[in-house]
Amino acid sequence: MGIKRLMLVLVGLVVGCGVGCSGTESSSSSSTGGTAATTTGSTGATGTTGASGSTGLTTSGSTGTTSSPSTSGSTGTSGSTGNNGFVRIAHLSPDAPAVDVCIRAVGTNTFIGPVVRGVANVDNGFVFPTVTNYLPVPAGNYDVRIVNGTSTTCTDANRILDLPAAATVKAGDYMTVAAEGLATGSPPLSLQAYADDTAVQNGKIAVRFIHAAPNVPTASNTAVDVGLGTGTNFTPVFSDVSYTHIAAAGGAIDANGYAITAPLTNATISVRPHGTTTDGLVLNGLNLPAGTLATAFAIVQNGAPAALICIDTKQLATASAPKASCTVMH
């Protein structure tokens, strides 16, 4: 697909964008390689095994297993429309400024974007912690550039981070691409990709936990357990989830990291360092009725652990909304 056609598709995406998504000339990529769902700014590392269900958008060198969106049950949206994949972007870096995203077809010299400005009519980018709506993107391989949110072009001067390894968008797939890490510290800013479910079994909920909180609880022990209750009354749902990852598939957890379970009413959810009995974050009064599809991102806000809870069912049902339906809980 040519760049002009790609540009037209992006411009007329979710809300009938009235602002042009102009492509701007850029220098060629300067690094190679890349990790399974992580690409850093300069020289990519050798590819490693990807998290289960987290490779809907893959990078050169990865060995993760691609998982298609679930279509079981009666609630949700079909995972296939023409030649498009559907990508939403999450800004989960606590110290990064407002950002926007540019893409270009691999092997070309022109970036398209900034994409969020054009699609959602957002003039100053999207801020932490925000998740955009799904953006239809033609299937293919792309380079990605993160730029300052006030940028109107994708030039080198506006660049925050280049992700030069080839990125693959597959037709019919829904995915979340998240900017995680720290802009001015360690772990460094990176891009993570997670394949999304789009349907829920009748009478059930599907909820996923993504660990996007840098250096929490500590740099040497980033894995956490997430479950119902507190203290000694804790029942794990997601176990041993490390930073940038989702829970491994098995039991009630599907290939994309969603726990398929009964609805929650006034539930208490706790997050704690893996294998300990110390609750690091306690969320009270969580209600997820039958038919709900949700993603919970562990984040750091104002130096403290928090959770960004996104009701994905609402987002899939309101394609014209510029942002996902998300709430920060402490």
Side-chain angles (χ1 to χ4, degrees), residues 185-201:
S186 181
L189 190 64
S190 66
L191 197 72
Q192 308 295 328
Y194 308 92
D196 299 343
D197 281 0
T198 58
V200 187
Q201 295 178 17

Side-chain angles (χ1 to χ4, degrees), residues 10 22 26 28 30 41 48 52 54 58 64 70 81 90 103 134-135 143 179 204 235 239 242 291 314 318:
L10 290 172
S22 59
S26 169
S28 60
S30 59
T48 58
S52 172
S54 67
T58 58
S70 168
T81 303
I103 64 172
Y134 285 101
L135 314 176
D143 297 325
K204 300 287 188 178
T235 301
S239 297
S242 58
K314 291 183 179 180
T318 55

Side-chain angles (χ1 to χ4, degrees), residues 221 223-225 240 272-278:
N221 179 21
V224 297
D225 298 330
D240 195 15
R272 54 176 62 178
H274 174 57
T276 75
T277 59
T278 302

